[in-house]
Amino acid sequence: MPRPLLQLALDTFDLPSALAPMQQARDHVDVVEAGTILCYAEGMHAVCALRALYPDKLLLADVRIAEAGSIIAKLAFDAGADWVSMVSGATPATMEVVLSEARSRGRDVQLELIDGWTWAQAAAWRALGIEQVIAHRSRDGEALGDLSWKPADFEQMRRLADLGFKVTVAGGVEVDDLPLFADVPIHVFTVGRAIRAAADPASAARGFQEAIARVYGATAARA
Amino acid sequence: MPRPLLQLALDTFDLPSALAPMQQARDHVDVVEAGTILCYAEGMHAVCALRALYPDKLLLADVRIAEAGSIIAKLAFDAGADWVSMVSGATPATMEVVLSEARSRGRDVQLELIDGWTWAQAAAWRALGIEQVIAHRSRDGEALGDLSWKPADFEQMRRLADLGFKVTVAGGVEVDDLPLFADVPIHVFTVGRAIRAAADPASAARGFQEAIARVYGATAARA
């Protein structure tokens, strides 16, 4: 199974607060995420700055497109994003224009699965050409304060991978959780606070990479 | 019927492009809208700048909250917005936290009606405490290239007003359309390109205010 990528989610209220931990952790991060909050706070200037600083890293603008899709996608791609996020509640028409904008530039779209999606929709998204999805742990459990990963979470990710999706895992993965994903084909692990708020972000990020290598083997990382 | 307010939608790709027409039209504009595109492009800096320039005008941050509502609302209110927008696809839980954030500061929330909403939902939103909605003309007609206002559009706005909502009309109102709204209680008319892209934005905005006064009488504007 190819080794998953490590994404650092920069969900801060301003750019400087994002730059400090990112710069420290940069040697151990594969994908830089300009988080939704950061995008709203600083606009596409945040994406431009991250592109300028890390020209060789994958860069996600987590703009969570719901409508007015092609213009927001254009803004994010112009600013240098490789990937933009779109919510699963977007209409097929919006998905199509965003995907087409991405394809015309050799970029990509990540579809964030929001509660209420169905497997019939998932099949339709694949047919439309969506290749990447963002999966969370069950929100029902989260709402009850239960932050553990459940067999149903892994089952869902496996089934998404079986449909041909590259799966990003978002939402509070801890380094000790990684062995639980051993049999699950994951494209990207997203980590935020556990690296960003660590006393030593570089060492925290390196810890995640080492855990990923232990679980998935030190094979080549996914493209 | 109280006189509706005139809102200038600043949907530009950068702040300077918004400032030029806004500054020219400022004496004739009641509500300043930092459009979705502008918010994504410049972040909350755009909202801060508009607040600084026009401290006495109502200011809408058209951030179209769908999720992560309380943080985005906080950002927009901190930047000086009086109103934030939220899409009708947001969950009741998101609506509740955004509304509560607004209420705690004496601000307000506008709910943008996205295709697929129901009258049962509308009644539930009222019960939740939502007071303002944003209505568009029928998207079906728009998709077919028919930009005229239909009896069904006015009927819908009247019924929303009957439910107790203050109704903002968005999406391509022309000055010649205004007489069509004579019997419809409208809170805010949103105008974008017709003022922003006019050779003389001040004169275009004045034209809208004069048309509003002709249709609704020169009574006191709505609060």
Side-chain angles (χ1 to χ4, degrees):
Chain A
M1 208 177 290
R3 183 160 57 85
L5 302 171
L6 178 63
Q7 174 171 317
L8 178 52
L10 300 169
D11 252 312
T12 59
F13 287 81
D14 57 50
L15 185 58
S17 308
L19 296 182
M22 179 60 216
Q23 181 74 345
Q24 292 175 65
R26 68 186 184 282
D27 290 342
H28 314 286
V29 169
D30 303 304
V31 185
V32 182
E33 175 193 330
T36 308
I37 303 302
L38 181 61
C39 288
Y40 269 111
E42 297 277 8
M44 290 301 109
H45 302 293
V47 176
C48 287
L50 292 167
R51 176 78 299 157
L53 287 163
Y54 312 108
D56 300 325
K57 291 195 190 297
L58 287 163
L59 176 56
L60 163 69
D62 192 14
V63 285
R64 291 183 165 175
I65 293 168
E67 257 216 326
S70 72
I71 300 182
I72 297 170
K74 262 190 237 294
L75 279 175
F77 290 138
D78 282 350
D82 296 295
W83 301 338
V84 298
S85 62
M86 180 161 64
V87 294
S88 57
T91 63
T94 292
M95 291 187 187
E96 232 165 317
V97 298
V98 172
L99 209 47
S100 139
E101 183 66 34
R103 291 287 174 267
S104 73
R105 303 171 180 240
R107 317 284 179 93
D108 207 1
V109 178
Q110 293 192 319
L111 194 68
E112 182 174 355
L113 302 175
I114 306 288
D115 280 4
W117 64 277
T118 66
W119 288 105
Q121 283 181 304
W125 298 328
R126 273 301 291 147
L128 207 63
I130 300 280
E131 295 183 356
Q132 297 196 55
V133 292
I134 304 173
H136 301 264
R137 91 182 86 203
S138 157
R139 303 261 181 185
D140 292 345
E142 265 186 20
L144 298 171
D146 178 358
L147 295 184
S148 68
W149 293 90
K150 297 282 186 305
D153 296 326
F154 302 120
E155 185 43 47
Q156 184 184 83
M157 292 173 200
R158 259 189 227 103
R159 196 167 159 190
L160 288 164
D162 286 345
L163 278 175
F165 287 113
K166 295 194 263 190
V167 179
T168 285
V169 183
V173 181
E174 302 285 340
V175 76
D176 294 339
D177 295 333
L178 286 170
L180 301 171
F181 289 86
D183 299 328
V184 193
I186 296 298
H187 179 219
V188 178
F189 282 108
T190 303
V191 179
R193 276 180 38 81
I195 293 175
R196 223 176 54 230
D200 181 347
S203 148
R206 195 176 49 238
F208 272 94
Q209 289 286 17
E210 287 167 358
I212 290 173
R214 272 195 304 276
V215 171
Y216 288 87
T219 56
R222 297 187 59 143
Chain B
M1 209 176 290
R3 184 160 58 83
L5 303 172
L6 178 62
Q7 175 171 317
L8 178 52
L10 300 168
D11 252 312
T12 58
F13 288 80
D14 57 51
L15 185 59
S17 308
L19 295 182
M22 179 59 216
Q23 181 74 345
Q24 292 174 66
R26 67 187 186 281
D27 290 343
H28 313 286
V29 169
D30 303 305
V31 185
V32 183
E33 175 193 330
T36 308
I37 303 301
L38 182 61
C39 288
Y40 268 111
E42 297 276 10
M44 290 302 109
H45 301 292
V47 177
C48 286
L50 292 167
R51 177 79 298 159
L53 286 164
Y54 312 109
D56 301 327
K57 292 197 189 294
L58 286 163
L59 176 55
L60 164 67
D62 192 13
V63 285
R64 290 182 166 177
I65 294 168
E67 257 217 327
S70 72
I71 300 182
I72 297 170
K74 262 190 236 292
L75 278 176
F77 290 137
D78 282 349
D82 296 296
W83 301 337
V84 299
S85 63
M86 179 161 65
V87 295
S88 57
T91 62
T94 292
M95 293 188 186
E96 231 165 318
V97 297
V98 172
L99 210 49
S100 141
E101 183 66 36
R103 292 287 174 268
S104 73
R105 301 169 181 243
R107 317 286 178 91
D108 207 0
V109 178
Q110 293 192 319
L111 194 68
E112 182 174 357
L113 302 174
I114 306 289
D115 280 5
W117 64 277
T118 65
W119 288 105
Q121 282 181 304
W125 298 328
R126 272 303 290 147
L128 206 63
I130 300 280
E131 295 184 356
Q132 296 195 56
V133 292
I134 304 173
H136 301 263
R137 91 181 84 204
S138 159
R139 303 262 181 182
D140 292 343
E142 264 185 21
L144 297 170
D146 177 359
L147 295 185
S148 68
W149 294 89
K150 297 284 185 306
D153 295 326
F154 303 121
E155 184 43 47
Q156 184 184 81
M157 292 173 200
R158 256 188 228 104
R159 196 166 158 193
L160 288 165
D162 287 345
L163 277 176
F165 288 113
K166 295 194 264 190
V167 179
T168 285
V169 183
V173 180
E174 302 284 341
V175 76
D176 295 339
D177 294 334
L178 286 171
L180 301 170
F181 289 86
D183 299 328
V184 191
I186 296 297
H187 179 219
V188 178
F189 282 109
T190 302
V191 179
R193 275 180 39 82
I195 294 175
R196 224 176 54 230
D200 181 346
S203 150
R206 195 174 52 239
F208 271 94
Q209 287 286 17
E210 287 166 1
I212 290 172
R214 274 196 304 276
V215 172
Y216 288 88
T219 55
R222 301 188 55 147

